[in-house]
Amino acid sequence: MKQVINTKAAPAAIGPYSQAIQVGNLVYTSGQIPIDPATGSFVEGGIKEQTRQSLSNVQAILREAGLSMSNVVKTTVFMADMNDFAAMNEVYADFFTEPYPARSAVAVKTLPKGALVEIEVIAAKD
């Protein structure tokens, strides 16, 4: 059976989807864009600031599920420009420790609301 994970500490869903769903011991987050949940607006700055906010949103959702970033087993990073990879990766490294989760990083034509980055994760409860 699936359980909805929802927190006010991350942006509300902007469509017909959940912030995250738990099935068994796995939690699947929806892609998080760099919206500050306190203001409902994008954070100021470029790819580094947007990556930090997107991952902070993921972190808040996982916290609501009783998890932390150390529970993440897989991430998918969508970027509007692959030239931003190194800067994104620099901030990304602040959120994870070894053993690092598996990751895919892809460039896409556009992201919701013109975001530079969107990040989704799969996390496992111990």
Side-chain angles (χ1 to χ4, degrees):
M1 175 159 37
K2 62 184 179 179
Q3 175 186 348
V4 174
I5 308 296
N6 188 49
T7 178
K8 292 183 191 298
I14 56 175
Y17 62 89
S18 301
Q19 287 177 332
I21 293 290
Q22 180 176 339
V23 178
N25 71 329
L26 295 177
V27 173
Y28 302 84
T29 71
S30 291
Q32 295 300 303
I33 59 176
I35 294 176
D36 180 339
T39 65
S41 299
F42 272 17
V43 294
E44 299 275 330
I47 189 65
K48 287 184 177 184
E49 294 80 9
Q50 287 198 17
T51 300
R52 186 170 311 286
Q53 185 63 54
S54 295
L55 286 168
S56 293
N57 293 341
V58 166
Q59 197 170 40
I61 293 167
L62 292 177
R63 193 175 305 119
E64 182 68 21
L67 301 174
S68 71
M69 297 302 263
S70 67
N71 294 99
V72 174
V73 295
K74 173 72 167 75
T75 67
T76 305
V77 179
F78 304 95
M79 291 178 291
D81 186 346
M82 193 54 80
N83 290 319
D84 288 335
F85 182 83
M88 175 282 298
N89 205 45
E90 185 180 322
V91 175
Y92 179 97
D94 292 340
F95 284 81
F96 296 101
T97 57
E98 291 189 37
Y100 299 115
R103 178 177 76 183
S104 299
V106 297
V108 295
K109 185 174 179 180
T110 57
L111 289 167
K113 298 187 174 246
L116 299 177
V117 65
E118 179 175 2
I119 301 172
E120 65 183 27
V121 307
I122 301 170
K125 288 194 170 196
D126 295 329

